[in-house]
Amino acid sequence: RWTHPIAIYPNRINPRIYSQSGYFTIHGKAEESLEETFTNELYRIQIPLTIIDQLRELLQFSGFNKFSIYKDLDSLGKYLSQIHNVNT
């Protein structure tokens, strides 16, 4: 068994996993969080609530939105509703 968490790079056969470039972790026997285990490799970023709307606009302008990340019909609907100002 593992004593520390390890990251697994999954096959990219699912469009959602592919678009997120995600990894999975297996934690083994360790009970510490990833932040506690990898103090020099991981950083927590706290975003002030006052800039959330500005940050969303910046991400949208940069090409990041619900559909570009999740790649499913639900996310496409939410994205289209957002850009066309449709309230659901």
Side-chain angles (χ1 to χ4, degrees):
R1 298 278 174 180
W2 299 281
T3 56
H4 296 290
I6 60 169
I8 304 294
Y9 186 74
N11 290 332
R12 303 290 190 219
I13 58 174
N14 180 300
R16 187 172 180 155
I17 293 174
Y18 180 81
S19 64
Q20 292 178 14
S21 300
Y23 287 78
F24 294 99
T25 56
I26 298 175
H27 290 260
K29 295 180 180 181
E31 294 183 14
E32 297 86 18
S33 68
L34 290 175
E35 291 91 350
E36 293 169 326
T37 303
F38 300 105
T39 56
N40 294 322
E41 293 85 6
L42 296 175
Y43 302 93
R44 181 177 298 268
I45 299 172
Q46 293 184 336
I47 300 169
L49 292 174
T50 56
I51 67 164
I52 293 291
D53 290 337
Q54 293 169 310
L55 185 55
R56 282 190 178 129
E57 287 179 24
L58 176 63
L59 290 170
Q60 177 70 32
F61 182 76
S62 300
F64 295 97
N65 56 64
K66 288 185 186 308
F67 184 62
S68 71
I69 296 170
Y70 298 111
K71 297 289 186 190
D72 58 19
L73 291 177
D74 183 55
S75 298
L76 176 59
K78 288 177 182 177
Y79 169 66
L80 291 173
S81 293
Q82 177 188 359
I83 65 170
H84 294 291
N85 296 316
V86 176
N87 294 324
T88 56

PDB file of all heavy atoms in Angstrom, residues 58-85:
ATOM      1  N   LEU A  58     -13.446  37.688 -16.872  1.00  0.00           N
ATOM      2  CA  LEU A  58     -12.098  37.452 -17.399  1.00  0.00           C
ATOM      3  C   LEU A  58     -11.968  36.021 -17.931  1.00  0.00           C
ATOM      4  O   LEU A  58     -11.422  35.798 -19.015  1.00  0.00           O
ATOM      5  CB  LEU A  58     -11.049  37.706 -16.311  1.00  0.00           C
ATOM      6  CG  LEU A  58      -9.603  37.397 -16.686  1.00  0.00           C
ATOM      7  CD1 LEU A  58      -9.133  38.296 -17.823  1.00  0.00           C
ATOM      8  CD2 LEU A  58      -8.702  37.544 -15.486  1.00  0.00           C
ATOM      9  N   LEU A  59     -12.485  35.054 -17.177  1.00  0.00           N
ATOM     10  CA  LEU A  59     -12.428  33.662 -17.628  1.00  0.00           C
ATOM     11  C   LEU A  59     -13.229  33.471 -18.908  1.00  0.00           C
ATOM     12  O   LEU A  59     -12.783  32.787 -19.839  1.00  0.00           O
ATOM     13  CB  LEU A  59     -12.934  32.721 -16.524  1.00  0.00           C
ATOM     14  CG  LEU A  59     -12.013  32.587 -15.316  1.00  0.00           C
ATOM     15  CD1 LEU A  59     -12.727  31.847 -14.194  1.00  0.00           C
ATOM     16  CD2 LEU A  59     -10.723  31.887 -15.693  1.00  0.00           C
ATOM     17  N   GLN A  60     -14.419  34.076 -18.971  1.00  0.00           N
ATOM     18  CA  GLN A  60     -15.250  33.993 -20.170  1.00  0.00           C
ATOM     19  C   GLN A  60     -14.516  34.594 -21.370  1.00  0.00           C
ATOM     20  O   GLN A  60     -14.462  34.005 -22.441  1.00  0.00           O
ATOM     21  CB  GLN A  60     -16.585  34.714 -19.929  1.00  0.00           C
ATOM     22  CG  GLN A  60     -17.500  34.769 -21.121  1.00  0.00           C
ATOM     23  CD  GLN A  60     -18.067  33.422 -21.476  1.00  0.00           C
ATOM     24  OE1 GLN A  60     -18.290  32.584 -20.620  1.00  0.00           O
ATOM     25  NE2 GLN A  60     -18.283  33.187 -22.747  1.00  0.00           N
ATOM     26  N   PHE A  61     -13.929  35.761 -21.173  1.00  0.00           N
ATOM     27  CA  PHE A  61     -13.170  36.426 -22.235  1.00  0.00           C
ATOM     28  C   PHE A  61     -11.990  35.565 -22.691  1.00  0.00           C
ATOM     29  O   PHE A  61     -11.605  35.578 -23.855  1.00  0.00           O
ATOM     30  CB  PHE A  61     -12.680  37.796 -21.745  1.00  0.00           C
ATOM     31  CG  PHE A  61     -11.923  38.570 -22.777  1.00  0.00           C
ATOM     32  CD1 PHE A  61     -12.591  39.214 -23.813  1.00  0.00           C
ATOM     33  CD2 PHE A  61     -10.539  38.663 -22.717  1.00  0.00           C
ATOM     34  CE1 PHE A  61     -11.890  39.924 -24.777  1.00  0.00           C
ATOM     35  CE2 PHE A  61      -9.831  39.371 -23.673  1.00  0.00           C
ATOM     36  CZ  PHE A  61     -10.509  40.003 -24.704  1.00  0.00           C
ATOM     37  N   SER A  62     -11.417  34.797 -21.758  1.00  0.00           N
ATOM     38  CA  SER A  62     -10.261  33.939 -22.057  1.00  0.00           C
ATOM     39  C   SER A  62     -10.657  32.586 -22.641  1.00  0.00           C
ATOM     40  O   SER A  62      -9.799  31.759 -22.923  1.00  0.00           O
ATOM     41  CB  SER A  62      -9.446  33.723 -20.777  1.00  0.00           C
ATOM     42  OG  SER A  62      -8.999  34.957 -20.273  1.00  0.00           O
ATOM     43  N   GLY A  63     -11.967  32.354 -22.795  1.00  0.00           N
ATOM     44  CA  GLY A  63     -12.420  31.116 -23.418  1.00  0.00           C
ATOM     45  C   GLY A  63     -12.797  30.014 -22.446  1.00  0.00           C
ATOM     46  O   GLY A  63     -13.036  28.878 -22.860  1.00  0.00           O
ATOM     47  N   PHE A  64     -12.859  30.323 -21.160  1.00  0.00           N
ATOM     48  CA  PHE A  64     -13.251  29.338 -20.155  1.00  0.00           C
ATOM     49  C   PHE A  64     -14.706  29.574 -19.770  1.00  0.00           C
ATOM     50  O   PHE A  64     -15.069  30.672 -19.365  1.00  0.00           O
ATOM     51  CB  PHE A  64     -12.367  29.428 -18.904  1.00  0.00           C
ATOM     52  CG  PHE A  64     -10.937  29.064 -19.161  1.00  0.00           C
ATOM     53  CD1 PHE A  64      -9.999  30.049 -19.394  1.00  0.00           C
ATOM     54  CD2 PHE A  64     -10.546  27.742 -19.167  1.00  0.00           C
ATOM     55  CE1 PHE A  64      -8.678  29.719 -19.641  1.00  0.00           C
ATOM     56  CE2 PHE A  64      -9.229  27.403 -19.412  1.00  0.00           C
ATOM     57  CZ  PHE A  64      -8.294  28.391 -19.652  1.00  0.00           C
ATOM     58  N   ASN A  65     -15.521  28.557 -19.918  1.00  0.00           N
ATOM     59  CA  ASN A  65     -16.924  28.641 -19.548  1.00  0.00           C
ATOM     60  C   ASN A  65     -17.404  27.239 -19.172  1.00  0.00           C
ATOM     61  O   ASN A  65     -16.653  26.267 -19.265  1.00  0.00           O
ATOM     62  CB  ASN A  65     -17.751  29.234 -20.692  1.00  0.00           C
ATOM     63  CG  ASN A  65     -17.588  28.457 -21.979  1.00  0.00           C
ATOM     64  OD1 ASN A  65     -17.954  27.287 -22.061  1.00  0.00           O
ATOM     65  ND2 ASN A  65     -17.010  29.104 -22.983  1.00  0.00           N
ATOM     66  N   LYS A  66     -18.652  27.133 -18.746  1.00  0.00           N
ATOM     67  CA  LYS A  66     -19.174  25.835 -18.306  1.00  0.00           C
ATOM     68  C   LYS A  66     -19.019  24.770 -19.394  1.00  0.00           C
ATOM     69  O   LYS A  66     -18.637  23.644 -19.123  1.00  0.00           O
ATOM     70  CB  LYS A  66     -20.635  25.961 -17.897  1.00  0.00           C
ATOM     71  CG  LYS A  66     -20.844  26.700 -16.606  1.00  0.00           C
ATOM     72  CD  LYS A  66     -22.303  26.676 -16.211  1.00  0.00           C
ATOM     73  CE  LYS A  66     -22.605  27.517 -15.018  1.00  0.00           C
ATOM     74  NZ  LYS A  66     -21.814  27.303 -13.839  1.00  0.00           N
ATOM     75  N   PHE A  67     -19.310  25.139 -20.633  1.00  0.00           N
ATOM     76  CA  PHE A  67     -19.246  24.138 -21.701  1.00  0.00           C
ATOM     77  C   PHE A  67     -17.814  23.764 -22.066  1.00  0.00           C
ATOM     78  O   PHE A  67     -17.528  22.600 -22.338  1.00  0.00           O
ATOM     79  CB  PHE A  67     -20.002  24.608 -22.936  1.00  0.00           C
ATOM     80  CG  PHE A  67     -20.046  23.573 -24.019  1.00  0.00           C
ATOM     81  CD1 PHE A  67     -20.667  22.347 -23.803  1.00  0.00           C
ATOM     82  CD2 PHE A  67     -19.466  23.807 -25.245  1.00  0.00           C
ATOM     83  CE1 PHE A  67     -20.700  21.373 -24.793  1.00  0.00           C
ATOM     84  CE2 PHE A  67     -19.497  22.844 -26.239  1.00  0.00           C
ATOM     85  CZ  PHE A  67     -20.116  21.629 -26.012  1.00  0.00           C
ATOM     86  N   SER A  68     -16.895  24.717 -22.048  1.00  0.00           N
ATOM     87  CA  SER A  68     -15.507  24.379 -22.400  1.00  0.00           C
ATOM     88  C   SER A  68     -14.869  23.474 -21.354  1.00  0.00           C
ATOM     89  O   SER A  68     -13.925  22.751 -21.645  1.00  0.00           O
ATOM     90  CB  SER A  68     -14.664  25.651 -22.579  1.00  0.00           C
ATOM     91  OG  SER A  68     -14.429  26.301 -21.351  1.00  0.00           O
ATOM     92  N   ILE A  69     -15.412  23.486 -20.139  1.00  0.00           N
ATOM     93  CA  ILE A  69     -14.857  22.663 -19.067  1.00  0.00           C
ATOM     94  C   ILE A  69     -15.562  21.318 -18.950  1.00  0.00           C
ATOM     95  O   ILE A  69     -14.924  20.281 -18.823  1.00  0.00           O
ATOM     96  CB  ILE A  69     -14.911  23.421 -17.725  1.00  0.00           C
ATOM     97  CG1 ILE A  69     -14.013  24.656 -17.795  1.00  0.00           C
ATOM     98  CG2 ILE A  69     -14.495  22.520 -16.568  1.00  0.00           C
ATOM     99  CD1 ILE A  69     -14.158  25.596 -16.634  1.00  0.00           C
ATOM    100  N   TYR A  70     -16.891  21.310 -19.021  1.00  0.00           N
ATOM    101  CA  TYR A  70     -17.631  20.079 -18.726  1.00  0.00           C
ATOM    102  C   TYR A  70     -18.095  19.299 -19.950  1.00  0.00           C
ATOM    103  O   TYR A  70     -18.365  18.116 -19.862  1.00  0.00           O
ATOM    104  CB  TYR A  70     -18.810  20.387 -17.807  1.00  0.00           C
ATOM    105  CG  TYR A  70     -18.356  20.928 -16.486  1.00  0.00           C
ATOM    106  CD1 TYR A  70     -18.584  22.242 -16.138  1.00  0.00           C
ATOM    107  CD2 TYR A  70     -17.651  20.128 -15.602  1.00  0.00           C
ATOM    108  CE1 TYR A  70     -18.154  22.749 -14.923  1.00  0.00           C
ATOM    109  CE2 TYR A  70     -17.207  20.625 -14.391  1.00  0.00           C
ATOM    110  CZ  TYR A  70     -17.474  21.931 -14.060  1.00  0.00           C
ATOM    111  OH  TYR A  70     -17.030  22.427 -12.870  1.00  0.00           O
ATOM    112  N   LYS A  71     -18.243  19.924 -21.095  1.00  0.00           N
ATOM    113  CA  LYS A  71     -18.530  19.249 -22.371  1.00  0.00           C
ATOM    114  C   LYS A  71     -19.734  18.300 -22.328  1.00  0.00           C
ATOM    115  O   LYS A  71     -19.668  17.186 -22.829  1.00  0.00           O
ATOM    116  CB  LYS A  71     -17.310  18.469 -22.860  1.00  0.00           C
ATOM    117  CG  LYS A  71     -16.103  19.306 -23.159  1.00  0.00           C
ATOM    118  CD  LYS A  71     -16.307  20.111 -24.398  1.00  0.00           C
ATOM    119  CE  LYS A  71     -15.021  20.841 -24.762  1.00  0.00           C
ATOM    120  NZ  LYS A  71     -15.199  21.799 -25.787  1.00  0.00           N
ATOM    121  N   ASP A  72     -20.834  18.733 -21.718  1.00  0.00           N
ATOM    122  CA  ASP A  72     -22.053  17.936 -21.776  1.00  0.00           C
ATOM    123  C   ASP A  72     -23.215  18.846 -22.147  1.00  0.00           C
ATOM    124  O   ASP A  72     -23.077  20.067 -22.220  1.00  0.00           O
ATOM    125  CB  ASP A  72     -22.305  17.180 -20.466  1.00  0.00           C
ATOM    126  CG  ASP A  72     -22.400  18.089 -19.253  1.00  0.00           C
ATOM    127  OD1 ASP A  72     -22.623  19.302 -19.415  1.00  0.00           O
ATOM    128  OD2 ASP A  72     -22.265  17.573 -18.127  1.00  0.00           O
ATOM    129  N   LEU A  73     -24.375  18.257 -22.440  1.00  0.00           N
ATOM    130  CA  LEU A  73     -25.505  19.044 -22.900  1.00  0.00           C
ATOM    131  C   LEU A  73     -26.014  20.026 -21.849  1.00  0.00           C
ATOM    132  O   LEU A  73     -26.419  21.147 -22.167  1.00  0.00           O
ATOM    133  CB  LEU A  73     -26.638  18.130 -23.361  1.00  0.00           C
ATOM    134  CG  LEU A  73     -26.352  17.341 -24.637  1.00  0.00           C
ATOM    135  CD1 LEU A  73     -27.514  16.408 -24.958  1.00  0.00           C
ATOM    136  CD2 LEU A  73     -26.099  18.291 -25.802  1.00  0.00           C
ATOM    137  N   ASP A  74     -25.998  19.619 -20.599  1.00  0.00           N
ATOM    138  CA  ASP A  74     -26.434  20.504 -19.524  1.00  0.00           C
ATOM    139  C   ASP A  74     -25.559  21.759 -19.482  1.00  0.00           C
ATOM    140  O   ASP A  74     -26.067  22.884 -19.378  1.00  0.00           O
ATOM    141  CB  ASP A  74     -26.392  19.765 -18.185  1.00  0.00           C
ATOM    142  CG  ASP A  74     -26.912  20.616 -17.039  1.00  0.00           C
ATOM    143  OD1 ASP A  74     -28.053  21.110 -17.143  1.00  0.00           O
ATOM    144  OD2 ASP A  74     -26.180  20.773 -16.048  1.00  0.00           O
ATOM    145  N   SER A  75     -24.265  21.580 -19.592  1.00  0.00           N
ATOM    146  CA  SER A  75     -23.342  22.715 -19.571  1.00  0.00           C
ATOM    147  C   SER A  75     -23.485  23.579 -20.818  1.00  0.00           C
ATOM    148  O   SER A  75     -23.364  24.805 -20.743  1.00  0.00           O
ATOM    149  CB  SER A  75     -21.903  22.228 -19.445  1.00  0.00           C
ATOM    150  OG  SER A  75     -21.746  21.534 -18.235  1.00  0.00           O
ATOM    151  N   LEU A  76     -23.774  22.958 -21.952  1.00  0.00           N
ATOM    152  CA  LEU A  76     -24.012  23.730 -23.170  1.00  0.00           C
ATOM    153  C   LEU A  76     -25.245  24.613 -22.995  1.00  0.00           C
ATOM    154  O   LEU A  76     -25.231  25.795 -23.336  1.00  0.00           O
ATOM    155  CB  LEU A  76     -24.189  22.803 -24.374  1.00  0.00           C
ATOM    156  CG  LEU A  76     -24.547  23.488 -25.693  1.00  0.00           C
ATOM    157  CD1 LEU A  76     -23.486  24.502 -26.102  1.00  0.00           C
ATOM    158  CD2 LEU A  76     -24.768  22.441 -26.782  1.00  0.00           C
ATOM    159  N   GLY A  77     -26.307  24.042 -22.435  1.00  0.00           N
ATOM    160  CA  GLY A  77     -27.519  24.821 -22.186  1.00  0.00           C
ATOM    161  C   GLY A  77     -27.271  25.984 -21.247  1.00  0.00           C
ATOM    162  O   GLY A  77     -27.737  27.111 -21.487  1.00  0.00           O
ATOM    163  N   LYS A  78     -26.533  25.744 -20.171  1.00  0.00           N
ATOM    164  CA  LYS A  78     -26.229  26.808 -19.219  1.00  0.00           C
ATOM    165  C   LYS A  78     -25.364  27.893 -19.866  1.00  0.00           C
ATOM    166  O   LYS A  78     -25.578  29.088 -19.639  1.00  0.00           O
ATOM    167  CB  LYS A  78     -25.527  26.242 -17.988  1.00  0.00           C
ATOM    168  CG  LYS A  78     -26.461  25.439 -17.106  1.00  0.00           C
ATOM    169  CD  LYS A  78     -25.729  24.831 -15.926  1.00  0.00           C
ATOM    170  CE  LYS A  78     -26.690  23.993 -15.088  1.00  0.00           C
ATOM    171  NZ  LYS A  78     -26.002  23.344 -13.979  1.00  0.00           N
ATOM    172  N   TYR A  79     -24.416  27.482 -20.671  1.00  0.00           N
ATOM    173  CA  TYR A  79     -23.545  28.446 -21.354  1.00  0.00           C
ATOM    174  C   TYR A  79     -24.352  29.306 -22.324  1.00  0.00           C
ATOM    175  O   TYR A  79     -24.229  30.533 -22.335  1.00  0.00           O
ATOM    176  CB  TYR A  79     -22.416  27.701 -22.075  1.00  0.00           C
ATOM    177  CG  TYR A  79     -21.628  28.565 -23.013  1.00  0.00           C
ATOM    178  CD1 TYR A  79     -20.854  29.611 -22.530  1.00  0.00           C
ATOM    179  CD2 TYR A  79     -21.657  28.348 -24.382  1.00  0.00           C
ATOM    180  CE1 TYR A  79     -20.120  30.413 -23.398  1.00  0.00           C
ATOM    181  CE2 TYR A  79     -20.934  29.148 -25.249  1.00  0.00           C
ATOM    182  CZ  TYR A  79     -20.172  30.180 -24.746  1.00  0.00           C
ATOM    183  OH  TYR A  79     -19.455  30.976 -25.602  1.00  0.00           O
ATOM    184  N   LEU A  80     -25.196  28.674 -23.132  1.00  0.00           N
ATOM    185  CA  LEU A  80     -26.004  29.429 -24.094  1.00  0.00           C
ATOM    186  C   LEU A  80     -26.980  30.367 -23.388  1.00  0.00           C
ATOM    187  O   LEU A  80     -27.185  31.508 -23.830  1.00  0.00           O
ATOM    188  CB  LEU A  80     -26.749  28.473 -25.020  1.00  0.00           C
ATOM    189  CG  LEU A  80     -25.869  27.689 -26.000  1.00  0.00           C
ATOM    190  CD1 LEU A  80     -26.696  26.659 -26.753  1.00  0.00           C
ATOM    191  CD2 LEU A  80     -25.148  28.624 -26.950  1.00  0.00           C
ATOM    192  N   SER A  81     -27.562  29.903 -22.291  1.00  0.00           N
ATOM    193  CA  SER A  81     -28.468  30.761 -21.508  1.00  0.00           C
ATOM    194  C   SER A  81     -27.717  31.973 -20.952  1.00  0.00           C
ATOM    195  O   SER A  81     -28.224  33.090 -20.948  1.00  0.00           O
ATOM    196  CB  SER A  81     -29.087  29.987 -20.362  1.00  0.00           C
ATOM    197  OG  SER A  81     -29.955  28.990 -20.848  1.00  0.00           O
ATOM    198  N   GLN A  82     -26.496  31.744 -20.526  1.00  0.00           N
ATOM    199  CA  GLN A  82     -25.693  32.831 -19.961  1.00  0.00           C
ATOM    200  C   GLN A  82     -25.336  33.870 -21.020  1.00  0.00           C
ATOM    201  O   GLN A  82     -25.506  35.067 -20.794  1.00  0.00           O
ATOM    202  CB  GLN A  82     -24.418  32.265 -19.339  1.00  0.00           C
ATOM    203  CG  GLN A  82     -23.498  33.319 -18.784  1.00  0.00           C
ATOM    204  CD  GLN A  82     -22.159  32.751 -18.338  1.00  0.00           C
ATOM    205  OE1 GLN A  82     -21.917  31.552 -18.415  1.00  0.00           O
ATOM    206  NE2 GLN A  82     -21.284  33.610 -17.875  1.00  0.00           N
ATOM    207  N   ILE A  83     -24.867  33.435 -22.172  1.00  0.00           N
ATOM    208  CA  ILE A  83     -24.415  34.419 -23.180  1.00  0.00           C
ATOM    209  C   ILE A  83     -25.576  35.130 -23.859  1.00  0.00           C
ATOM    210  O   ILE A  83     -25.404  36.211 -24.396  1.00  0.00           O
ATOM    211  CB  ILE A  83     -23.461  33.794 -24.216  1.00  0.00           C
ATOM    212  CG1 ILE A  83     -24.158  32.727 -25.058  1.00  0.00           C
ATOM    213  CG2 ILE A  83     -22.215  33.270 -23.560  1.00  0.00           C
ATOM    214  CD1 ILE A  83     -23.326  32.271 -26.249  1.00  0.00           C
ATOM    215  N   HIS A  84     -26.774  34.515 -23.807  1.00  0.00           N
ATOM    216  CA  HIS A  84     -27.942  35.153 -24.414  1.00  0.00           C
ATOM    217  C   HIS A  84     -28.864  35.770 -23.353  1.00  0.00           C
ATOM    218  O   HIS A  84     -29.993  36.143 -23.672  1.00  0.00           O
ATOM    219  CB  HIS A  84     -28.705  34.151 -25.279  1.00  0.00           C
ATOM    220  CG  HIS A  84     -27.916  33.714 -26.476  1.00  0.00           C
ATOM    221  ND1 HIS A  84     -27.628  34.553 -27.536  1.00  0.00           N
ATOM    222  CD2 HIS A  84     -27.326  32.530 -26.775  1.00  0.00           C
ATOM    223  CE1 HIS A  84     -26.905  33.910 -28.435  1.00  0.00           C
ATOM    224  NE2 HIS A  84     -26.708  32.687 -28.005  1.00  0.00           N
ATOM    225  N   ASN A  85     -28.370  35.847 -22.118  1.00  0.00           N
ATOM    226  CA  ASN A  85     -29.133  36.446 -21.003  1.00  0.00           C
ATOM    227  C   ASN A  85     -30.528  35.857 -20.854  1.00  0.00           C
ATOM    228  O   ASN A  85     -31.503  36.586 -20.699  1.00  0.00           O
ATOM    229  CB  ASN A  85     -29.199  37.965 -21.154  1.00  0.00           C
ATOM    230  CG  ASN A  85     -27.847  38.614 -21.054  1.00  0.00           C
ATOM    231  OD1 ASN A  85     -27.051  38.263 -20.188  1.00  0.00           O
ATOM    232  ND2 ASN A  85     -27.570  39.561 -21.932  1.00  0.00           N
TER     233      ASN A  85
END
